[in-house]
Amino acid sequence: MLDVLKIRNDFPILNREVNGKPLVYLDNAATSQTPQQVIDVIVDYYSRYNANIHRGVHALSQEATDMYEQARLKIQAHFNMEKSHEVIFTSGTTHGINLIANGFSSIIKEGDEILVSAMEHHSNIVPWQMLAERTGAVLKVIPMNDEGELLMDEYDQLLSNNTKLVFCNHVSNALGTVNPIAEIIKKAHEVGAAVLVDGAQASPHIKADVQQLDVDFYTVSAHKMCGPTGVGVLYGKDEWLNKLPPYQGGGEMIAEVTFEKTTYADLPHKFEAGTPNICGGIAFGAALDYMNNLGFDEIATYENELLEYATQKLLQIEGLRIYGTAKEKTSVISFNIEGIHPYDIGTILDKLGIAVRTGHHCAQPIMDFYGIPGTVRASFSFYNTKEEVDKLVEGVERARTMLV
Ligand SMILES: *Cc1c(COP(=O)(O)O)cnc(C)c1O
């Protein structure tokens, strides 16, 4: 069992007020808050050993390199990756997906098919559309039902020997659906297609085991799991990473450079051109330590309780509809109230110190599917409480009476 009140003391931001009210932070699907333990690591880095890595012979550079490489090992262990060079540091999920989409330019041929799920974040749609444009490949969509679950029979129908790539998020940021990625991966492999899973929204709730899933690529962003912005990880099986060309050229990614020819560095450096977010990488490792100390099973159990509680209470509000009612969900609730624009609800909640997201959540195709401009999205983390859920429900009720 999590001691949530004790946990909340780790997060200084949760003590602040917004518009004269205690902050109720329910926008965790957009970014999570940072515990003092991670803030300390960031302060320590810039106070004691800020230096460029992998280059200097001096002590600070060695210390920074050691800490950065230790973080890589923590990430490797967390996701059960076989090799540490399968951990590619990126600036985040978007960067990781673009790196792979770019790499496949030379592999994908005209007429090849790439499948994408109907519930993707724009960052897992647009890079593939750009790839399809460059190569003449055909992009096809795995449809979903009203509950926000993928239609697996349709997926079976779409798969063929022409399928080269499949993209799917592990958890939908707009609906909270947990997708059956093990089955998606297995079926894709049966026709020889590679699979990229966008784990940005799953990673704060579910500890993915990339070897057990047998996934080809998996992407995460540190800022969704108690770490800083601007850093993330791309996992790739090393046979794929060796096959794909580098994404960016520059320092750190080369073995030898002459004006006639450059040879590339080995993994992971081949994909890590330029000075990375060194402090961010180290802080990401600290964030994983923090979450693992709490325990991912404990986190999931508690968050599911909050989800269940909030769902029941919100559904008692007249005219309220929840979008995304899949059997397996993480703690995300997207909703609207009949006749009210989501933005107006969000604005009233903000006046009450309650932070939610409104809009299309970078997933316009989902909004088009439901024929709505957007939703209000409340997303819960392990540091949220039932009292905060009550405040949300009161706030939404108040918005309804004001606006209807
Ligand atoms: C947040 C999110 C992204 C984008 O992550 P960035 O950190 O902005 O690159 C992509 N996919 C999903 C499912 C997300 O939740």
Side-chain angles (χ1 to χ4, degrees):
M1 281 279 284
L2 297 183
D3 185 347
V4 176
L5 293 183
K6 181 162 166 283
I7 287 169
R8 287 178 69 82
N9 288 329
D10 292 336
F11 291 81
I13 208 168
L14 298 179
N15 291 320
R16 68 161 284 182
E17 295 196 339
V18 169
N19 295 321
K21 303 276 188 329
L23 168 67
V24 176
Y25 186 77
L26 302 179
D27 194 18
N28 296 286
T31 203
S32 56
Q33 295 303 343
T34 316
Q36 190 64 48
Q37 289 85 336
V38 174
I39 298 171
D40 287 346
V41 166
I42 295 168
V43 171
D44 187 49
Y45 172 82
Y46 283 109
S47 311
R48 286 202 316 111
Y49 62 100
N50 176 30
N52 213 328
I53 53 168
H54 300 141
R55 295 167 203 210
V57 292
H58 61 81
L60 263 54
S61 173
Q62 301 272 348
E63 274 182 46
T65 304
D66 286 351
M67 292 296 281
Y68 192 63
E69 290 307 317
Q70 268 180 40
R72 194 190 302 276
L73 297 180
K74 285 178 189 177
I75 292 159
Q76 180 198 353
H78 179 82
F79 294 100
N80 192 30
M81 301 165 182
E82 191 185 350
K83 299 165 185 137
S84 63
H85 63 245
E86 293 173 326
V87 180
I88 309 295
F89 277 113
T90 62
S91 67
T93 294
T94 304
H95 176 193
I97 294 172
N98 278 280
L99 189 160
I100 297 303
N102 188 74
F104 269 92
S105 301
S106 56
I107 294 175
I108 295 292
K109 302 278 174 291
E110 195 173 340
D112 282 349
E113 294 180 357
I114 50 191
L115 304 186
V116 59
S117 99
M119 63 175 91
E120 294 307 306
H121 189 283
H122 295 162
S123 69
N124 207 18
I125 301 174
V126 184
W128 308 116
Q129 285 174 326
M130 290 161 68
L131 172 67
E133 246 164 60
R134 281 196 298 276
T135 58
V138 183
L139 192 74
K140 294 191 168 176
V141 180
I142 311 163
M144 66 176 194
N145 62 19
D146 267 358
E147 284 73 41
E149 295 169 321
L150 291 178
L151 298 174
M152 295 300 282
D153 290 347
E154 304 270 342
Y155 175 55
D156 288 342
Q157 297 299 313
L158 285 169
L159 282 171
S160 76
N161 291 333
N162 294 329
T163 314
K164 293 295 178 285
L165 281 166
V166 177
F167 314 105
C168 185
N169 51 37
H170 192 167
V171 169
S172 157
N173 64 303
L175 303 173
T177 309
V178 181
N179 284 310
I181 57 165
E183 188 185 343
I184 288 170
I185 294 162
K186 186 167 166 282
K187 288 185 165 157
H189 286 170
E190 280 166 13
V191 298
V195 182
L196 180 143
V197 172
D198 166 359
Q201 198 60 231
S203 55
H205 313 285
I206 301 168
K207 192 167 173 164
D209 180 331
V210 296
Q211 287 190 76
Q212 196 188 349
L213 288 167
D214 196 27
V215 67
D216 301 286
F217 307 101
Y218 196 89
T219 57
V220 295
S221 297
H223 72 93
K224 300 234 168 131
M225 40 192 327
C226 299
T229 56
V231 64
V233 158
L234 163 71
Y235 161 79
K237 283 185 183 165
D238 79 340
E239 50 189 291
W240 271 120
L241 294 178
N242 279 320
K243 205 181 310 180
L244 296 175
Y247 180 41
Q248 292 179 316
E252 190 77 359
M253 55 75 75
I254 50 87
E256 202 172 353
V257 177
T258 67
F259 282 111
E260 287 72 42
K261 185 171 166 51
T262 291
T263 50
Y264 304 126
D266 290 335
L267 293 172
H269 306 294
K270 178 174 128 185
F271 290 110
E272 294 182 345
T275 302
N277 185 348
I278 302 165
C279 177
I282 296 168
F284 187 8
L288 287 179
D289 286 345
Y290 181 84
M291 293 191 74
N292 279 309
N293 278 338
L294 299 179
F296 272 75
D297 289 342
E298 286 76 5
I299 288 172
T301 304
Y302 178 69
E303 287 173 346
N304 282 337
E305 232 173 80
L306 282 182
L307 173 67
E308 193 63 23
Y309 181 73
T311 302
Q312 295 311 325
K313 286 216 131 187
L314 282 169
L315 283 175
Q316 287 165 19
I317 294 174
E318 204 182 311
L320 187 141
R321 170 169 177 196
I322 291 177
Y323 298 89
T325 50
K327 278 186 251 1
E328 253 202 274
K329 270 185 77 171
T330 60
S331 46
V332 167
I333 304 181
S334 252
F335 64 91
N336 274 332
I337 294 180
E338 211 183 331
I340 309 180
H341 198 279
Y343 179 82
D344 295 334
I345 299 176
T347 306
I348 290 176
L349 291 177
D350 180 56
K351 294 261 179 341
L352 301 170
I354 303 168
V356 294
R357 179 91 178 256
T358 64
H360 55 61
H361 318 298
C362 300
Q364 271 181 0
I366 298 182
M367 303 305 137
D368 293 345
F369 174 82
Y370 289 113
I372 52 177
T375 68
V376 182
R377 182 186 69 186
S379 50
F380 309 99
S381 177
F382 56 83
Y383 43 70
N384 291 123
T385 63
K386 285 190 178 163
E387 289 70 37
E388 288 181 315
V389 172
D390 292 340
K391 284 187 187 169
L392 168 73
V393 175
E394 272 166 43
V396 174
E397 185 64 61
R398 179 133 145 209
R400 193 190 67 84
T401 41
M402 283 170 75
L403 296 167
V404 161

